[in-house]
């Protein structure tokens, strides 16, 4: 009886994991204070019994769900990415058109454009405002699946790498971004970018051959086969891989810095846009030379180059190193706006999907 009246002590009672399991013998040697159980769980669950391990895993998963940036289901990432990509390209395409025209305006021939303003002026003069949207269809058809593949791949790669609070360290974000860029380059970007460049370049001709997107695609495939839509694949993989590696690295680093020790801190869309624009600018200065080479390899004069390295060598030899940064200013404006819009829309669409699409 005296033992029954002995005051109960937390440190002598069952561990927290035992308290949620029926049938756990109170004489088992694994009885530990709650603090020791949690410490063991944080150390990797190696010293806990099976049922305690499963409880610890559930606690870690719960922490990941409520502690920081939630892991996003790949299905939501694909849908949100596609929506964001479609909206973004409709807003920013004229800057992409001008950038491509300036990159195709080689010094070997008398330059047609004196700068950004002159390119816009002559295009509107010759083709009207619709001329600034020539090639939009090919990029629109590509932007939706491109962003879907990009964000879906990034989430699939990054979710297993996040810690219990849902945080992703900067090095892993760089690797996940690289993987996302390579995937989108192979699956979507290379064929769609090739078609876009050919359609824009065709407009420079005195007698344009292509009457529209579908006519252009059919003519290119008829003459060159499917391989004709994969011109510049190496340059595209290099460009997109480094592009997304830089963007996701910078965006993740800024997000981690902003949230600091409070992973649950919400980011206002304006903050997300500012961080996205910064990430976009970093990617422009980091890989515009690859973008110039990719554009030349996908143009109508691509047959002049043996391969990607030969293209880069000829640009350097005939036009000088500054040619590798042609179109930087219009690309800077477009990409900063592009990345800012995409990240904001993506984050907001994911929030909306979380309310209507419940996932584990």
């Amino acid at each position: 009886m005296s033992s029954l009246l002995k005051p109960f002590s937390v440190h002598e009672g069952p561990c927290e994991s035992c308290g949620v399991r029926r049938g756990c013998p109170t004489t088992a040697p694994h009885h530990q204070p709650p603090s020791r159980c949690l410490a063991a769980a944080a150390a990797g669950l190696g010293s806990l019994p099976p049922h305690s391990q499963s409880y610890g895993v559930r606690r870690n998963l719960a922490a990941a769900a409520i502690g920081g940036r939630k892991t996003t289901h790949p299905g939501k990432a694909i849908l949100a990415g596609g929506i964001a990509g479609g909206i973004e390209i409709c807003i920013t395409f004229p800057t992409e058109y001008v950038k491509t025209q300036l990159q195709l305006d080689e010094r070997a021939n008398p330059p047609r454009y004196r700068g950004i303003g002159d390119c816009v002026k002559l295009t509107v003069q010759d083709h009207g405002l619709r001329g600034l949207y020539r090639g939009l269809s090919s990029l629109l058809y590509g932007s939706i699946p491109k962003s879907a593949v990009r964000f879906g791949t990034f989430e699939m790669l990054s979710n297993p790498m996040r810690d219990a609070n849902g945080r992703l360290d900067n090095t892993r974000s760089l690797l996940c971004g690289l993987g996302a860029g390579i995937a989108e380059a192979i699956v979507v970007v290379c064929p769609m970018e090739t078609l876009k460049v050919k359609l824009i370049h065709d407009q420079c001709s005195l007698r344009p051959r292509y009457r529209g997107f579908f006519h252009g695609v059919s003519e290119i495939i008829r003459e060159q086969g499917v391989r004709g839509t994969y011109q510049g694949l190496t340059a595209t993989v290099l460009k997109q891989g480094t592009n997304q590696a830089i963007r996701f690295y910078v965006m993740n680093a800024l997000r981690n810095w902003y949230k600091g020790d409070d992973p649950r801190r919400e980011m206002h869309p304006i903050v997300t846009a500012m961080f996205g624009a910064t990430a976009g600018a970093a990617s422009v200065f980091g890989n515009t030379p690859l973008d110039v080479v990719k554009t030349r390899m996908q143009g109508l004069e691509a047959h002049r180059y043996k391969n990607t390295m030969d293209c880069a060598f000829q640009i350097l030899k005939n036009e000088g190193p500054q040619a590798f940064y042609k179109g930087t200013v219009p690309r800077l404006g477009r990409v900063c706006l592009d990345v800012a819009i995409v990240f904001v829309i993506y984050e907001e669409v994911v929030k909306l999907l979380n309310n209507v699409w419940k996932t584990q």
Side-chain angles (χ1 to χ4, degrees):
M1 286 294 295
S2 60
S3 62
L4 294 176
L5 296 177
K6 182 178 179 181
F8 177 82
S9 171
V10 171
H11 294 286
E12 296 173 359
C15 65
E16 183 174 338
S17 61
C18 295
V20 297
R21 304 278 296 198
R22 292 186 177 181
C24 178
T26 57
T27 58
H30 65 267
H31 277 203
Q32 302 174 20
S35 59
R36 290 174 61 192
C37 287
L38 295 178
L45 306 173
S47 61
L48 294 178
H51 67 268
S52 296
Q53 292 182 16
S54 63
Y55 176 76
V57 170
R58 291 197 300 273
R59 281 183 59 87
N60 284 341
L61 292 175
I66 65 175
R69 181 176 183 272
K70 297 179 181 179
T71 56
T72 302
H73 188 279
K76 294 179 182 178
I78 291 172
L79 181 57
I83 293 172
I87 295 174
E88 173 274 323
I89 197 58
C90 290
I91 297 172
T92 64
F93 184 80
T95 60
E96 174 68 15
Y97 174 88
V98 172
K99 179 218 70 169
T100 303
Q101 288 283 33
L102 292 178
Q103 289 180 345
L104 291 171
D105 194 25
E106 301 182 42
R107 181 178 294 176
N109 301 315
R112 185 182 181 191
Y113 306 116
R114 295 190 298 270
I116 299 172
D118 187 52
C119 180
V120 173
K121 177 183 176 181
L122 289 178
T123 300
V124 174
Q125 179 180 312
D126 295 341
H127 306 283
L129 288 175
R130 292 181 62 183
L132 293 173
Y133 283 87
R134 181 68 180 271
L136 170 63
S137 54
S138 62
L139 207 59
L140 181 61
Y141 299 149
S143 289
I144 294 175
K146 176 179 72 173
S147 293
V149 170
R150 176 193 307 166
F151 284 100
T153 302
F154 182 82
E155 295 298 345
M156 283 189 285
L157 294 175
S158 66
N159 282 348
M161 297 184 181
R162 297 183 184 275
D163 63 17
N165 289 322
R167 290 174 68 95
L168 181 69
D169 67 48
N170 297 336
T171 301
R172 290 177 177 177
S173 69
L174 181 74
L175 296 175
C176 293
L178 179 63
I182 292 174
E184 72 176 15
I186 296 173
V187 176
V188 181
V189 176
C190 189
M192 288 302 175
E193 283 282 305
T194 301
L195 295 172
K196 178 209 72 175
V197 172
K198 287 182 183 295
L199 288 173
I200 292 177
H201 205 174
D202 179 62
Q203 183 173 312
C204 298
S205 304
L206 295 177
R207 300 179 63 182
R209 297 177 53 203
Y210 307 136
R211 296 190 298 270
F213 174 75
F214 292 106
H215 178 256
V217 171
S218 63
E219 286 295 303
I220 292 169
I221 293 179
R222 183 178 65 82
E223 295 174 0
Q224 306 173 29
V226 176
R227 185 178 180 181
T229 65
Y230 269 89
Q231 289 179 208
L233 176 61
T234 301
T236 303
V237 168
L238 290 173
K239 182 229 173 183
Q240 291 302 122
T242 56
N243 228 4
Q244 301 312 323
I246 294 171
R247 290 179 190 178
F248 279 106
Y249 173 84
V250 174
M251 188 67 187
N252 192 71
L254 291 173
R255 180 186 286 117
N256 288 341
W257 167 79
Y258 180 81
K259 293 191 175 184
D261 296 330
D262 183 11
R264 288 176 293 183
R265 184 180 182 184
E266 291 290 332
M267 285 176 55
H268 192 278
I270 294 178
V271 176
T272 302
M274 291 174 59
F275 289 172
T278 303
S283 70
V284 168
F285 290 112
N287 78 345
T288 288
L290 289 171
D291 189 47
V292 172
V293 174
K294 176 195 72 69
T295 301
R296 295 286 180 88
M297 289 293 294
Q298 292 172 332
L300 297 178
E301 301 297 324
H303 61 273
R304 295 169 47 191
Y305 310 116
K306 298 177 182 178
N307 50 46
T308 302
M309 290 300 297
D310 181 60
C311 177
F313 177 75
Q314 288 197 39
I315 293 173
L316 180 63
K317 178 182 177 180
N318 299 326
E319 304 173 55
Q322 66 274 17
F324 287 111
Y325 280 89
K326 278 189 173 184
T328 297
V329 175
R331 186 181 181 224
L332 184 64
R334 179 205 181 285
V335 169
C336 289
L337 188 60
D338 166 357
V339 180
I341 291 172
V342 166
F343 272 112
V344 170
I345 296 177
Y346 174 78
E347 295 287 351
E348 295 304 310
V349 172
V350 167
K351 291 178 184 177
L352 178 63
L353 290 176
N354 285 336
N355 293 328
V356 298
W357 181 1
K358 302 301 181 182
T359 55
Q360 291 292 332

